[in-house]
């Protein structure tokens, strides 16, 4: 009887470890480092400790992947994702007409059938990726290098309103923890509307495309209408 009980405990322990490893693999596949696992756990714990109604309403920034298009099909495409530390993997990207924006490097919409094998792409997705082979995601934003002479913009969510840097320019802090210098004469336009917008319209939770110039400062912003 004791041997049977010990065997059951060991099997349960091994199964629990395998589940934990699978979950960790899924997070690391998106975040690439075990630090992402620790940070996510801390965030979840903090959220559960906050009184009801006081949780942050700012959504976490989507995770960015990049690479080159391999194949395009109806409703999605596959691309060869590149890793910062080297190596690559194929990823299948699903396009949801209700939630995915596919834009060119000029910030204007691109039809999926305009994408070609070899195009460079940024894929913003999250928070999870399937553990299938190849892995699959549903994108929030896809940016395609459709203009060879254009720099690729970044898709960011502002963590707060722009702040002055003391030198006549501004600082943009993102929900992903990045900081960018923003020129005082930075061009800012709304996404597909004629509404007049100013740098002061960038506030906490604002979704933006930003173009960083050769000097490392943001030179252009496309502000999405919430």
């Amino acid at each position: 009887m004791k041997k049977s009980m010990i065997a059951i405990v060991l099997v349960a322990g091994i199964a629990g470890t395998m589940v934990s490893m699978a979950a960790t693999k899924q997070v690391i596949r998106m975040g690439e480092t075990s630090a992402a696992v620790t940070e996510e756990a801390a965030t979840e714990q903090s959220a559960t400790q906050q009184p009801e109604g006081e949780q942050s309403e700012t959504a976490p920034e989507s995770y960015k992947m990049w690479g080159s298009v391999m194949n395009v099909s109806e409703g999605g495409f596959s691309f060869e994702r590149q890793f910062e530390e080297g190596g690559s993997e194929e990823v299948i990207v699903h396009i949801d007409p209700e939630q995915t924006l596919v834009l060119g490097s000029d910030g204007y919409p691109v039809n999926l059938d305009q994408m070609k094998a070899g195009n460079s792409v940024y894929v913003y997705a999250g928070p999870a990726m399937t553990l299938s082979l190849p892995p699959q995601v549903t994108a929030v934003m896809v940016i395609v290098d459709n203009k060879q002479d254009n720099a690729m913009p970044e898709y960011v969510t502002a963590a707060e309103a722009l702040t002055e840097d003391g030198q006549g320019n501004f600082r943009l802090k993102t929900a992903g923890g990045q900081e960018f210098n923003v020129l005082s004469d930075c061009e800012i336009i709304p996404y597909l509307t004629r509404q007049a917008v100013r740098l002061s319209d960038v506030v906490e939770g604002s979704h933006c495309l930003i173009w960083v110039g050769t000097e490392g400062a943001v030179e252009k912003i496309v502000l999405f209408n919430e």
Side-chain angles (χ1 to χ4, degrees), residues 6 40 43 45 77 88 101 180 182 217:
I6 292 172
E40 181 176 351
T43 301
Q45 182 178 6
F77 64 94
S88 64
L101 282 179
F180 295 91
V182 179

Side-chain angles (χ1 to χ4, degrees), residues 181-201:
N181 292 321
V182 179
L183 299 177
S184 59
D185 60 352
C186 173
E187 177 187 9
I188 179 168
I189 59 176
Y191 178 69
L192 298 185
T193 72
R194 296 183 179 181
Q195 176 185 359
V197 291
R198 300 181 295 273
L199 291 178
S200 58
D201 291 316

Side-chain angles (χ1 to χ4, degrees), residues 9 12 17 41 44 53 56 61 95 107 128 142 144 150 163-164 180 186 222:
V9 171
T17 301
E44 290 179 354
S56 172
E61 193 158 27
I95 302 299
V142 175
V144 187
N150 277 11
T163 56
E164 296 184 7
F180 295 91
C186 173
V222 168

Side-chain angles (χ1 to χ4, degrees), residues 1 4 7 32 66 88:
M1 181 66 178
S4 299
E32 297 185 6
W66 64 91
S88 64

Side-chain angles (χ1 to χ4, degrees), residues 12-30 33-34 37 129-131:
I14 292 171
T17 301
M18 291 176 67
V19 170
S20 176
M21 289 176 65
T24 299
K25 182 180 179 182
Q26 186 175 39
V27 174
I28 289 177
R29 186 179 288 280
M30 289 296 288
T33 65
S34 58
V37 181
M129 175 186 290
T130 69
L131 295 177

Side-chain angles (χ1 to χ4, degrees), residues 30-32 61-66 79 81-82 84 121-126 141 143 152-155 178:
M30 289 296 288
E32 297 185 6
E61 193 158 27
S62 300
Y63 185 76
K64 183 180 80 171
M65 299 175 284
W66 64 91
F79 78 109
R81 176 193 181 187
Q82 302 296 321
E84 290 184 359
V121 288
Y122 286 168
V123 176
Y124 292 84
M141 171 82 72
I143 302 176
M152 291 282 276
E154 299 270 351
Y155 176 56
Q178 295 176 289

